[in-house]
Amino acid sequence: MTSLSRRSFVTCLSALGAAPLLPKRSHADGTQAVLRATTSTAQLTPEGFPRTDVWAYAQKGAGSVPGPEIRVKAGERVTRRLLNELPQSTAVHWHGIRIDNAMDGAAPLTQDPVPTGGTFDYDFVCPDPGTYWYHSHNRSREQVARGLAGPLIVEDVEPWLGLPGAATRELTLVLDDWLLNEDGSIVEGRWDELHAAAHAGRMGNTGTVNGQSFPGFSLRPAERVRLRMINVATDRIMPISLPGLSSTLVALDGHPVAPRKLEVLELAPAQRADIVVDAPVTSTEMTNLVLGTGRGNQVEFASFNIEGEPVQRSGEDVRPLPSWKTLPKLDLATAQNQPLLMEGGAMRGMVEATYQGEKMDFRELTSRGMAWAFNGVAHGMGEPMFEARLGRTVRMELANRSAFPHGIHVHGHHFTLLSRNSVPDPHKDVRDTVLIQADETVEIAFVADNPGKWMIHCHMLSHQASGMMGWFKVN
Ligand code: C2O
Ligand code: CU
């Protein structure tokens, strides 16, 4: 532990001795119909440091970061009246849910932003089990960074927990990255900073799990637990490892995968991973959730304390999650091909792009706050990037011609990863957000089976705000 470089807050925390905290149980869904977006405070830094003013979701009582966990079973409805108590307009996007277009929350494409004091009734079915999240989709670069994000868990219809080879318990871990001042306040007034937007985005200096700095979780010896991990950071890619725990990946972005062993998991903003961990068989060991922060640095994000009565382990292979059986089959032979070329940013830039109907050079673009383009268009929210007939398979070649990685998210659909740099993907993972490295080309395909206007954008929210967004139409 001492060999790892740590932030000052974490150092202070370990000096204080981190108390193991059990995760909060979520309440059963359906009892509260209101979701307030409101101002609140949160203890993002260790006890003894000042609380942070945040924007947060609330169902009952004060707003919390992350927002309250919303939980339904697959096929059930989520019904919430959004009440906006913020000083800005807002809207809620239900990330990864194959949702009715009118409920997608992608302001201003699918709804008007909800003004201060206004309401919007969200009412939609969650067709597929898995780990999802909800977040602001208006001025999201600022609003998500201020705390407007929470977990949305869609449970399997038939319980998986407790079956042979399955976990006996689950934990939701919401990973976040905050840019805080010394006094604990959020760094303000730099929301539109072009320098950050043209690089890797707004990078924080304080990591939290479930809104806490370096929380401790208790695992019993030999216990098998499902971790639902969600990266809600605005821009930070999180390479995660769990040294000391045997980790098996069972789902990505909510969709089951054939269980596979895991060393390091690279979780881009908005991505989720369900990981089954086996605790060591002897107690009093301590292991950490470790986050690589680039340049070879690592920080510890949370601790797992192995304590209590050992669990009788069956020693069986990890049981796969039940498959969705809800996605239509791809028809690649008749697919509609849609290229998506990503350009811009520091180090490379681009010769020119169209912004608000006008062609301009990179300098001109940056003077308007634009640093990125999709297919030569910056902030392409006017005309759709393409249209697809309902039921048509769309194959997209996502070509990153910039010096930075991008996490591309498609609304309303989940897609299959076909290849990376022309090498067929061995797993054919199904996702809603894919990380594409600098100079990498990734091929994806999905059946355009959900009518409406759907956004496609980089989920590094600083990149999105400075040009990396567009939309397509399914009809
Ligand atoms: Cu989670 Cu359009 O985003
Ligand atoms: Cu990006």
PDB file of all heavy atoms in Angstrom, residues 73-100:
ATOM      1  N   LYS A  73     -37.402  -4.835 -11.720  1.00  0.00           N
ATOM      2  CA  LYS A  73     -37.143  -6.109 -12.395  1.00  0.00           C
ATOM      3  C   LYS A  73     -37.269  -5.896 -13.902  1.00  0.00           C
ATOM      4  O   LYS A  73     -38.006  -5.012 -14.337  1.00  0.00           O
ATOM      5  CB  LYS A  73     -38.186  -7.138 -11.953  1.00  0.00           C
ATOM      6  CG  LYS A  73     -37.855  -7.830 -10.656  1.00  0.00           C
ATOM      7  CD  LYS A  73     -38.558  -9.188 -10.630  1.00  0.00           C
ATOM      8  CE  LYS A  73     -38.297 -10.009  -9.393  1.00  0.00           C
ATOM      9  NZ  LYS A  73     -37.443  -9.505  -8.359  1.00  0.00           N
ATOM     10  N   ALA A  74     -36.560  -6.693 -14.669  1.00  0.00           N
ATOM     11  CA  ALA A  74     -36.645  -6.590 -16.126  1.00  0.00           C
ATOM     12  C   ALA A  74     -38.105  -6.676 -16.558  1.00  0.00           C
ATOM     13  O   ALA A  74     -38.857  -7.527 -16.078  1.00  0.00           O
ATOM     14  CB  ALA A  74     -35.827  -7.690 -16.784  1.00  0.00           C
ATOM     15  N   GLY A  75     -38.496  -5.795 -17.453  1.00  0.00           N
ATOM     16  CA  GLY A  75     -39.866  -5.757 -17.950  1.00  0.00           C
ATOM     17  C   GLY A  75     -40.764  -4.820 -17.161  1.00  0.00           C
ATOM     18  O   GLY A  75     -41.876  -4.516 -17.591  1.00  0.00           O
ATOM     19  N   GLU A  76     -40.266  -4.360 -16.009  1.00  0.00           N
ATOM     20  CA  GLU A  76     -41.078  -3.443 -15.208  1.00  0.00           C
ATOM     21  C   GLU A  76     -40.856  -1.994 -15.635  1.00  0.00           C
ATOM     22  O   GLU A  76     -39.920  -1.674 -16.346  1.00  0.00           O
ATOM     23  CB  GLU A  76     -40.743  -3.590 -13.712  1.00  0.00           C
ATOM     24  CG  GLU A  76     -41.279  -4.864 -13.099  1.00  0.00           C
ATOM     25  CD  GLU A  76     -40.934  -5.017 -11.617  1.00  0.00           C
ATOM     26  OE1 GLU A  76     -40.215  -4.167 -11.056  1.00  0.00           O
ATOM     27  OE2 GLU A  76     -41.389  -6.008 -11.036  1.00  0.00           O
ATOM     28  N   ARG A  77     -41.732  -1.146 -15.117  1.00  0.00           N
ATOM     29  CA  ARG A  77     -41.678   0.281 -15.417  1.00  0.00           C
ATOM     30  C   ARG A  77     -40.947   1.073 -14.355  1.00  0.00           C
ATOM     31  O   ARG A  77     -41.040   0.754 -13.182  1.00  0.00           O
ATOM     32  CB  ARG A  77     -43.106   0.853 -15.423  1.00  0.00           C
ATOM     33  CG  ARG A  77     -43.789   0.682 -16.687  1.00  0.00           C
ATOM     34  CD  ARG A  77     -45.178   1.300 -16.691  1.00  0.00           C
ATOM     35  NE  ARG A  77     -45.677   0.992 -17.999  1.00  0.00           N
ATOM     36  CZ  ARG A  77     -45.321   1.653 -19.101  1.00  0.00           C
ATOM     37  NH1 ARG A  77     -44.576   2.722 -19.033  1.00  0.00           N
ATOM     38  NH2 ARG A  77     -45.748   1.265 -20.284  1.00  0.00           N
ATOM     39  N   VAL A  78     -40.299   2.121 -14.802  1.00  0.00           N
ATOM     40  CA  VAL A  78     -39.826   3.158 -13.882  1.00  0.00           C
ATOM     41  C   VAL A  78     -40.716   4.370 -14.134  1.00  0.00           C
ATOM     42  O   VAL A  78     -40.902   4.780 -15.277  1.00  0.00           O
ATOM     43  CB  VAL A  78     -38.349   3.514 -14.146  1.00  0.00           C
ATOM     44  CG1 VAL A  78     -37.942   4.761 -13.365  1.00  0.00           C
ATOM     45  CG2 VAL A  78     -37.443   2.352 -13.780  1.00  0.00           C
ATOM     46  N   THR A  79     -41.279   4.889 -13.070  1.00  0.00           N
ATOM     47  CA  THR A  79     -42.146   6.052 -13.179  1.00  0.00           C
ATOM     48  C   THR A  79     -41.660   7.103 -12.194  1.00  0.00           C
ATOM     49  O   THR A  79     -41.656   6.862 -10.984  1.00  0.00           O
ATOM     50  CB  THR A  79     -43.607   5.666 -12.824  1.00  0.00           C
ATOM     51  OG1 THR A  79     -43.935   4.494 -13.571  1.00  0.00           O
ATOM     52  CG2 THR A  79     -44.572   6.755 -13.176  1.00  0.00           C
ATOM     53  N   ARG A  80     -41.197   8.211 -12.691  1.00  0.00           N
ATOM     54  CA  ARG A  80     -40.697   9.267 -11.804  1.00  0.00           C
ATOM     55  C   ARG A  80     -41.075  10.630 -12.360  1.00  0.00           C
ATOM     56  O   ARG A  80     -40.890  10.885 -13.556  1.00  0.00           O
ATOM     57  CB  ARG A  80     -39.163   9.234 -11.694  1.00  0.00           C
ATOM     58  CG  ARG A  80     -38.581   8.071 -10.925  1.00  0.00           C
ATOM     59  CD  ARG A  80     -38.887   8.140  -9.451  1.00  0.00           C
ATOM     60  NE  ARG A  80     -38.230   7.065  -8.724  1.00  0.00           N
ATOM     61  CZ  ARG A  80     -38.589   5.777  -8.764  1.00  0.00           C
ATOM     62  NH1 ARG A  80     -39.599   5.387  -9.512  1.00  0.00           N
ATOM     63  NH2 ARG A  80     -37.931   4.884  -8.064  1.00  0.00           N
ATOM     64  N   ARG A  81     -41.593  11.481 -11.500  1.00  0.00           N
ATOM     65  CA  ARG A  81     -41.778  12.875 -11.888  1.00  0.00           C
ATOM     66  C   ARG A  81     -40.532  13.643 -11.505  1.00  0.00           C
ATOM     67  O   ARG A  81     -40.221  13.784 -10.323  1.00  0.00           O
ATOM     68  CB  ARG A  81     -43.003  13.452 -11.185  1.00  0.00           C
ATOM     69  CG  ARG A  81     -43.088  14.975 -11.337  1.00  0.00           C
ATOM     70  CD  ARG A  81     -44.438  15.500 -10.978  1.00  0.00           C
ATOM     71  NE  ARG A  81     -45.415  15.057 -11.973  1.00  0.00           N
ATOM     72  CZ  ARG A  81     -46.691  15.430 -11.973  1.00  0.00           C
ATOM     73  NH1 ARG A  81     -47.147  16.215 -11.033  1.00  0.00           N
ATOM     74  NH2 ARG A  81     -47.510  14.994 -12.904  1.00  0.00           N
ATOM     75  N   LEU A  82     -39.807  14.101 -12.540  1.00  0.00           N
ATOM     76  CA  LEU A  82     -38.630  14.924 -12.266  1.00  0.00           C
ATOM     77  C   LEU A  82     -39.093  16.305 -11.826  1.00  0.00           C
ATOM     78  O   LEU A  82     -39.930  16.925 -12.472  1.00  0.00           O
ATOM     79  CB  LEU A  82     -37.753  15.064 -13.517  1.00  0.00           C
ATOM     80  CG  LEU A  82     -36.640  16.108 -13.427  1.00  0.00           C
ATOM     81  CD1 LEU A  82     -35.538  15.655 -12.460  1.00  0.00           C
ATOM     82  CD2 LEU A  82     -36.051  16.408 -14.797  1.00  0.00           C
ATOM     83  N   LEU A  83     -38.545  16.751 -10.719  1.00  0.00           N
ATOM     84  CA  LEU A  83     -38.840  18.079 -10.200  1.00  0.00           C
ATOM     85  C   LEU A  83     -37.523  18.844 -10.182  1.00  0.00           C
ATOM     86  O   LEU A  83     -36.582  18.437  -9.502  1.00  0.00           O
ATOM     87  CB  LEU A  83     -39.332  17.901  -8.764  1.00  0.00           C
ATOM     88  CG  LEU A  83     -40.575  18.621  -8.321  1.00  0.00           C
ATOM     89  CD1 LEU A  83     -41.292  17.737  -7.314  1.00  0.00           C
ATOM     90  CD2 LEU A  83     -40.191  19.932  -7.692  1.00  0.00           C
ATOM     91  N   ASN A  84     -37.470  19.890 -10.947  1.00  0.00           N
ATOM     92  CA  ASN A  84     -36.195  20.614 -11.058  1.00  0.00           C
ATOM     93  C   ASN A  84     -36.100  21.754 -10.045  1.00  0.00           C
ATOM     94  O   ASN A  84     -36.734  22.783 -10.193  1.00  0.00           O
ATOM     95  CB  ASN A  84     -36.011  21.151 -12.477  1.00  0.00           C
ATOM     96  CG  ASN A  84     -34.662  21.833 -12.632  1.00  0.00           C
ATOM     97  OD1 ASN A  84     -33.813  21.765 -11.738  1.00  0.00           O
ATOM     98  ND2 ASN A  84     -34.464  22.496 -13.758  1.00  0.00           N
ATOM     99  N   GLU A  85     -35.277  21.546  -9.049  1.00  0.00           N
ATOM    100  CA  GLU A  85     -35.035  22.580  -8.030  1.00  0.00           C
ATOM    101  C   GLU A  85     -33.658  23.217  -8.197  1.00  0.00           C
ATOM    102  O   GLU A  85     -33.130  23.819  -7.268  1.00  0.00           O
ATOM    103  CB  GLU A  85     -35.164  21.953  -6.631  1.00  0.00           C
ATOM    104  CG  GLU A  85     -36.533  21.364  -6.358  1.00  0.00           C
ATOM    105  CD  GLU A  85     -36.609  20.577  -5.050  1.00  0.00           C
ATOM    106  OE1 GLU A  85     -35.579  20.452  -4.357  1.00  0.00           O
ATOM    107  OE2 GLU A  85     -37.708  20.089  -4.735  1.00  0.00           O
ATOM    108  N   LEU A  86     -33.080  23.045  -9.387  1.00  0.00           N
ATOM    109  CA  LEU A  86     -31.744  23.590  -9.640  1.00  0.00           C
ATOM    110  C   LEU A  86     -31.846  24.982 -10.251  1.00  0.00           C
ATOM    111  O   LEU A  86     -32.868  25.333 -10.837  1.00  0.00           O
ATOM    112  CB  LEU A  86     -30.993  22.672 -10.623  1.00  0.00           C
ATOM    113  CG  LEU A  86     -30.772  21.241 -10.183  1.00  0.00           C
ATOM    114  CD1 LEU A  86     -30.254  20.410 -11.349  1.00  0.00           C
ATOM    115  CD2 LEU A  86     -29.799  21.196  -9.008  1.00  0.00           C
ATOM    116  N   PRO A  87     -30.760  25.748 -10.174  1.00  0.00           N
ATOM    117  CA  PRO A  87     -30.772  27.060 -10.829  1.00  0.00           C
ATOM    118  C   PRO A  87     -30.639  26.999 -12.348  1.00  0.00           C
ATOM    119  O   PRO A  87     -30.631  28.020 -13.007  1.00  0.00           O
ATOM    120  CB  PRO A  87     -29.580  27.788 -10.190  1.00  0.00           C
ATOM    121  CG  PRO A  87     -28.698  26.707  -9.680  1.00  0.00           C
ATOM    122  CD  PRO A  87     -29.571  25.545  -9.357  1.00  0.00           C
ATOM    123  N   GLN A  88     -30.508  25.780 -12.922  1.00  0.00           N
ATOM    124  CA  GLN A  88     -30.396  25.611 -14.381  1.00  0.00           C
ATOM    125  C   GLN A  88     -31.451  24.618 -14.851  1.00  0.00           C
ATOM    126  O   GLN A  88     -31.888  23.773 -14.081  1.00  0.00           O
ATOM    127  CB  GLN A  88     -29.047  24.985 -14.756  1.00  0.00           C
ATOM    128  CG  GLN A  88     -27.874  25.913 -14.823  1.00  0.00           C
ATOM    129  CD  GLN A  88     -26.580  25.169 -15.168  1.00  0.00           C
ATOM    130  OE1 GLN A  88     -26.605  23.995 -15.555  1.00  0.00           O
ATOM    131  NE2 GLN A  88     -25.473  25.850 -15.012  1.00  0.00           N
ATOM    132  N   SER A  89     -31.758  24.679 -16.143  1.00  0.00           N
ATOM    133  CA  SER A  89     -32.623  23.664 -16.743  1.00  0.00           C
ATOM    134  C   SER A  89     -31.913  22.318 -16.721  1.00  0.00           C
ATOM    135  O   SER A  89     -30.686  22.256 -16.783  1.00  0.00           O
ATOM    136  CB  SER A  89     -32.942  24.024 -18.189  1.00  0.00           C
ATOM    137  OG  SER A  89     -33.596  25.261 -18.240  1.00  0.00           O
ATOM    138  N   THR A  90     -32.696  21.244 -16.677  1.00  0.00           N
ATOM    139  CA  THR A  90     -32.075  19.925 -16.660  1.00  0.00           C
ATOM    140  C   THR A  90     -32.979  18.899 -17.345  1.00  0.00           C
ATOM    141  O   THR A  90     -34.096  19.211 -17.752  1.00  0.00           O
ATOM    142  CB  THR A  90     -31.720  19.500 -15.207  1.00  0.00           C
ATOM    143  OG1 THR A  90     -30.826  18.392 -15.242  1.00  0.00           O
ATOM    144  CG2 THR A  90     -32.959  19.141 -14.391  1.00  0.00           C
ATOM    145  N   ALA A  91     -32.472  17.680 -17.496  1.00  0.00           N
ATOM    146  CA  ALA A  91     -33.233  16.558 -18.052  1.00  0.00           C
ATOM    147  C   ALA A  91     -32.510  15.297 -17.610  1.00  0.00           C
ATOM    148  O   ALA A  91     -31.302  15.330 -17.366  1.00  0.00           O
ATOM    149  CB  ALA A  91     -33.282  16.626 -19.578  1.00  0.00           C
ATOM    150  N   VAL A  92     -33.243  14.189 -17.485  1.00  0.00           N
ATOM    151  CA  VAL A  92     -32.615  12.945 -17.025  1.00  0.00           C
ATOM    152  C   VAL A  92     -32.548  11.936 -18.164  1.00  0.00           C
ATOM    153  O   VAL A  92     -33.557  11.630 -18.797  1.00  0.00           O
ATOM    154  CB  VAL A  92     -33.382  12.313 -15.847  1.00  0.00           C
ATOM    155  CG1 VAL A  92     -32.647  11.080 -15.328  1.00  0.00           C
ATOM    156  CG2 VAL A  92     -33.581  13.311 -14.717  1.00  0.00           C
ATOM    157  N   HIS A  93     -31.352  11.419 -18.399  1.00  0.00           N
ATOM    158  CA  HIS A  93     -31.156  10.344 -19.370  1.00  0.00           C
ATOM    159  C   HIS A  93     -30.951   9.045 -18.614  1.00  0.00           C
ATOM    160  O   HIS A  93     -30.229   9.003 -17.613  1.00  0.00           O
ATOM    161  CB  HIS A  93     -29.936  10.661 -20.244  1.00  0.00           C
ATOM    162  CG  HIS A  93     -29.525   9.529 -21.145  1.00  0.00           C
ATOM    163  ND1 HIS A  93     -30.408   8.935 -22.035  1.00  0.00           N
ATOM    164  CD2 HIS A  93     -28.349   8.876 -21.290  1.00  0.00           C
ATOM    165  CE1 HIS A  93     -29.772   7.965 -22.689  1.00  0.00           C
ATOM    166  NE2 HIS A  93     -28.528   7.902 -22.252  1.00  0.00           N
ATOM    167  N   TRP A  94     -31.587   7.993 -19.095  1.00  0.00           N
ATOM    168  CA  TRP A  94     -31.539   6.684 -18.453  1.00  0.00           C
ATOM    169  C   TRP A  94     -30.583   5.843 -19.273  1.00  0.00           C
ATOM    170  O   TRP A  94     -30.974   5.154 -20.217  1.00  0.00           O
ATOM    171  CB  TRP A  94     -32.958   6.106 -18.382  1.00  0.00           C
ATOM    172  CG  TRP A  94     -33.912   7.142 -17.840  1.00  0.00           C
ATOM    173  CD1 TRP A  94     -34.618   8.058 -18.567  1.00  0.00           C
ATOM    174  CD2 TRP A  94     -34.202   7.416 -16.460  1.00  0.00           C
ATOM    175  NE1 TRP A  94     -35.341   8.880 -17.730  1.00  0.00           N
ATOM    176  CE2 TRP A  94     -35.107   8.501 -16.427  1.00  0.00           C
ATOM    177  CE3 TRP A  94     -33.790   6.841 -15.248  1.00  0.00           C
ATOM    178  CZ2 TRP A  94     -35.602   9.025 -15.234  1.00  0.00           C
ATOM    179  CZ3 TRP A  94     -34.294   7.363 -14.064  1.00  0.00           C
ATOM    180  CH2 TRP A  94     -35.177   8.438 -14.063  1.00  0.00           C
ATOM    181  N   HIS A  95     -29.317   5.946 -18.912  1.00  0.00           N
ATOM    182  CA  HIS A  95     -28.247   5.468 -19.776  1.00  0.00           C
ATOM    183  C   HIS A  95     -28.269   3.947 -19.960  1.00  0.00           C
ATOM    184  O   HIS A  95     -28.173   3.199 -18.993  1.00  0.00           O
ATOM    185  CB  HIS A  95     -26.885   5.903 -19.215  1.00  0.00           C
ATOM    186  CG  HIS A  95     -25.752   5.549 -20.107  1.00  0.00           C
ATOM    187  ND1 HIS A  95     -24.984   6.481 -20.763  1.00  0.00           N
ATOM    188  CD2 HIS A  95     -25.265   4.345 -20.494  1.00  0.00           C
ATOM    189  CE1 HIS A  95     -24.073   5.872 -21.485  1.00  0.00           C
ATOM    190  NE2 HIS A  95     -24.223   4.567 -21.345  1.00  0.00           N
ATOM    191  N   GLY A  96     -28.365   3.540 -21.232  1.00  0.00           N
ATOM    192  CA  GLY A  96     -28.283   2.127 -21.572  1.00  0.00           C
ATOM    193  C   GLY A  96     -29.624   1.430 -21.669  1.00  0.00           C
ATOM    194  O   GLY A  96     -29.696   0.303 -22.153  1.00  0.00           O
ATOM    195  N   ILE A  97     -30.677   2.079 -21.202  1.00  0.00           N
ATOM    196  CA  ILE A  97     -31.999   1.468 -21.296  1.00  0.00           C
ATOM    197  C   ILE A  97     -32.484   1.596 -22.743  1.00  0.00           C
ATOM    198  O   ILE A  97     -32.433   2.672 -23.331  1.00  0.00           O
ATOM    199  CB  ILE A  97     -33.013   2.157 -20.341  1.00  0.00           C
ATOM    200  CG1 ILE A  97     -32.496   2.114 -18.888  1.00  0.00           C
ATOM    201  CG2 ILE A  97     -34.395   1.518 -20.468  1.00  0.00           C
ATOM    202  CD1 ILE A  97     -32.417   0.738 -18.279  1.00  0.00           C
ATOM    203  N   ARG A  98     -32.932   0.493 -23.317  1.00  0.00           N
ATOM    204  CA  ARG A  98     -33.522   0.538 -24.665  1.00  0.00           C
ATOM    205  C   ARG A  98     -34.961   1.043 -24.476  1.00  0.00           C
ATOM    206  O   ARG A  98     -35.903   0.280 -24.323  1.00  0.00           O
ATOM    207  CB  ARG A  98     -33.434  -0.842 -25.319  1.00  0.00           C
ATOM    208  CG  ARG A  98     -31.954  -1.254 -25.495  1.00  0.00           C
ATOM    209  CD  ARG A  98     -31.754  -2.483 -26.347  1.00  0.00           C
ATOM    210  NE  ARG A  98     -32.485  -3.624 -25.831  1.00  0.00           N
ATOM    211  CZ  ARG A  98     -33.316  -4.381 -26.541  1.00  0.00           C
ATOM    212  NH1 ARG A  98     -33.524  -4.109 -27.812  1.00  0.00           N
ATOM    213  NH2 ARG A  98     -33.928  -5.391 -25.980  1.00  0.00           N
ATOM    214  N   ILE A  99     -35.066   2.333 -24.508  1.00  0.00           N
ATOM    215  CA  ILE A  99     -36.195   3.067 -23.952  1.00  0.00           C
ATOM    216  C   ILE A  99     -37.066   3.647 -25.063  1.00  0.00           C
ATOM    217  O   ILE A  99     -36.633   3.745 -26.215  1.00  0.00           O
ATOM    218  CB  ILE A  99     -35.599   4.198 -23.061  1.00  0.00           C
ATOM    219  CG1 ILE A  99     -36.575   4.733 -22.023  1.00  0.00           C
ATOM    220  CG2 ILE A  99     -35.040   5.319 -23.924  1.00  0.00           C
ATOM    221  CD1 ILE A  99     -35.867   5.622 -20.984  1.00  0.00           C
ATOM    222  N   ASP A 100     -38.275   4.029 -24.724  1.00  0.00           N
ATOM    223  CA  ASP A 100     -39.120   4.815 -25.629  1.00  0.00           C
ATOM    224  C   ASP A 100     -38.424   6.139 -25.888  1.00  0.00           C
ATOM    225  O   ASP A 100     -38.013   6.800 -24.948  1.00  0.00           O
ATOM    226  CB  ASP A 100     -40.454   5.131 -24.934  1.00  0.00           C
ATOM    227  CG  ASP A 100     -41.506   4.096 -25.241  1.00  0.00           C
ATOM    228  OD1 ASP A 100     -41.210   3.189 -26.042  1.00  0.00           O
ATOM    229  OD2 ASP A 100     -42.609   4.194 -24.671  1.00  0.00           O
TER     230      ASP A 100
END
